[in-house]
Amino acid sequence: MKVAVIEDHVPVRQLLVRRALKLDGLTVVAEASGEDEAVDAVMATTPDVVLLDLRLAQGSGLSVLTRLRGQAYPGRVFVLSGESSGVVAGLCRRRGADAFYDKAFDFEQLLSDLHELCKRGAANAPMHAPTSDGPRAVAIG
């Protein structure tokens, strides 16, 4: 399963990459810290899953999400944020996010959900496909 990590805070991005690479069957194919760089990287590498922070060095994760879905990116987008507001999570879901994780409380759940996708080989399932045991549609920390 191919993953792109879009996070502007270098220590957090490095932690995400390090932890993700420990999961069997997962490869990090792109990293980015800004909006344009993120969209270009995702469209060039077509990862199965994008881990997307809402706050970026240039632009915003919400804009990245909107642009990716506007360009028919078919993979899953897992949004990460320090903001645990239900309003933010709902907005992300309406823009096409498959899951929302609060960085402070849901980090291990995010890794668990990625691991489960790897095990099931479900990353290539159609976007927003209903599954009984898949990752949370929207998780509010």
Side-chain angles (χ1 to χ4, degrees):
M1 182 170 80
K2 300 185 304 183
V3 174
V5 179
I6 314 303
E7 166 68 60
D8 68 327
H9 193 235
V10 175
V12 174
R13 185 172 66 234
Q14 290 173 339
L15 177 62
L16 278 167
V17 168
R18 243 188 348 265
R19 294 287 305 274
L21 289 174
K22 289 182 180 181
L23 301 175
D24 288 336
L26 191 142
T27 303
V28 176
V29 295
E31 295 180 42
S33 61
E35 182 177 330
D36 291 338
E37 176 189 18
V39 172
D40 291 346
V42 169
M43 297 311 290
T45 60
T46 60
D48 301 299
V49 179
V50 174
L51 304 181
L52 177 64
D53 185 20
L54 281 183
R55 292 190 181 182
L56 299 175
Q58 291 121 9
S60 75
L62 197 55
S63 292
V64 170
L65 175 60
T66 302
R67 289 172 62 186
L68 290 176
R69 293 307 188 208
Q71 293 182 39
Y73 167 69
R76 296 180 189 260
V77 178
F78 290 176
V79 174
L80 302 124
S81 179
E83 301 174 33
S84 62
S85 165
V87 173
V88 174
L91 179 59
C92 291
R93 179 70 176 163
R94 287 189 298 280
R95 298 268 179 108
D98 295 284
F100 181 92
Y101 301 88
D102 182 311
K103 284 184 191 178
F105 301 106
D106 296 331
F107 191 82
E108 294 303 321
Q109 184 63 53
L110 165 65
L111 293 169
S112 176
D113 289 349
L114 281 174
H115 181 69
E116 191 62 33
L117 280 174
C118 283
K119 284 189 342 188
R120 292 188 301 132
N124 291 317
M127 186 179 75
H128 305 295
T131 60
S132 59
D133 61 344
R136 297 171 290 174
V138 175
I140 302 172

